[in-house]
Amino acid sequence: MRAVGMMAAAGLCALASPAIAQVAVGGSVEIATDERRRGISWSDGKVAPAASVRASVPFGLDLGVRATGTRGDPRHGGADAVFDVTGGFTRDIGGGLRLDGFVAGHLFAGARGGMDYVEGGLGASYALGPAELGVDARYAPSQSAIGGDNLWIGARARVGVPATPFTVNASVGHSSGSVDDWQRAARLRPGGNYTDWSLGVDHITGPFSIGVLYTGTDIDDRVLASPFANPRHTGDKVSARLAISF
């Protein structure tokens, strides 16, 4: 029986070895002058360090964790950092078309009150030469941490400038949703539903990336007096980011 057990274990290891060999692990360390998401700051307008690790596993699945400094941003209850824990997939369906999806948990360290929430997303993109166009939808179901639900729908474009290390990118999106608690809903939608846009350029050489990004929104300066709205950091902003990938 012992010999049979050893043979079975050896067989399982042999079967698992190809799958293990297909796992690809990577990551990055970054620093940004401001962590901007959907046009609004997540770091109280301050410099934000970040680090991430990700693993691509068989069947087109991806797992990842990204930690970003939020610098006590009142938007997230004074949290020191957010950990984005993500599981997703990518499928190339031919002809330059690609589909992707994910589920993410946003976990806030050092926050006052329950700030954690989850969301999921789907996207599709089409690549032709150095250009790529895409559409995305992100949905966070109703949760007390965000005072209702939240839906973001957007479009994006990216073009690599031929014979240079530069890539130009742009995006536009719209956030909407229901409101159960207006103070908490102001975390993701200060002042209500809004549109955001961005335009940026990245210089990529090997593992090094330097980018400059302009972001803007149509959020009214006279947002609701919510402790989570942080209206000082919802308007036009130019930020920069340096990243090293490995």
Side-chain angles (χ1 to χ4, degrees), residues 165-191:
F166 293 98
T167 299
V168 179
N169 54 78
S171 71
V172 61
H174 184 74
S175 296
S176 61
S178 65
V179 176
D180 298 325
D181 179 339
W182 66 267
Q183 288 191 326
R184 292 288 183 127
R187 286 184 67 191
L188 302 184
R189 299 194 310 277

Side-chain angles (χ1 to χ4, degrees), residues 8-204:
L12 288 173
C13 289
L15 289 173
S17 294
I20 293 174
Q22 294 177 37
V23 175
V25 179
S28 67
V29 290
E30 309 172 24
I31 188 165
T33 57
D34 189 1
E35 176 69 10
R36 309 288 288 193
R37 301 194 187 186
R38 301 175 193 175
I40 60 179
S41 177
W42 273 38
S43 60
D44 198 25
K46 302 171 185 174
V47 172
S52 66
V53 62
R54 58 189 178 277
S56 298
V57 298
F59 312 111
L61 301 178
D62 299 294
L63 304 173
V65 178
R66 184 175 191 264
T68 308
T70 50
R71 306 297 305 274
D73 195 331
R75 186 181 312 287
H76 305 303
D80 300 311
V82 57
F83 293 84
D84 303 307
V85 182
T86 305
F89 71 90
T90 300
R91 292 285 188 277
D92 289 315
I93 59 178
L97 292 174
R98 186 179 70 221
L99 300 177
D100 61 82
F102 75 91
V103 175
H106 305 293
L107 312 177
F108 295 86
R112 297 182 298 274
M115 294 286 108
D116 304 344
Y117 71 96
V118 297
E119 68 175 339
L122 292 172
S125 61
Y126 174 70
L128 180 62
E132 181 180 277
L133 301 175
V135 292
D136 300 284
R138 308 285 186 256
Y139 180 67
S142 184
Q143 297 158 78
S144 60
I146 57 174
D149 66 357
N150 193 79
L151 173 66
W152 180 86
I153 297 176
R156 53 187 162 81
R158 183 179 63 185
V159 179
V161 181
T164 77
F166 293 98
T167 299
V168 179
N169 54 78
S171 71
V172 61
H174 184 74
S175 296
S176 61
S178 65
V179 176
D180 298 325
D181 179 339
W182 66 267
Q183 288 191 326
R184 292 288 183 127
R187 286 184 67 191
L188 302 184
R189 299 194 310 277
N193 300 346
Y194 76 97
T195 299
D196 67 272
W197 52 84
S198 71
L199 178 64
V201 59
D202 295 307
H203 181 283
I204 303 171

Side-chain angles (χ1 to χ4, degrees), residues 199-222:
L199 178 64
V201 59
D202 295 307
H203 181 283
I204 303 171
T205 52
F208 299 97
S209 174
I210 301 175
V212 177
L213 182 68
Y214 157 73
T215 58
T217 73
D218 65 353
I219 296 173
D220 194 316
D221 292 337
R222 296 166 297 176

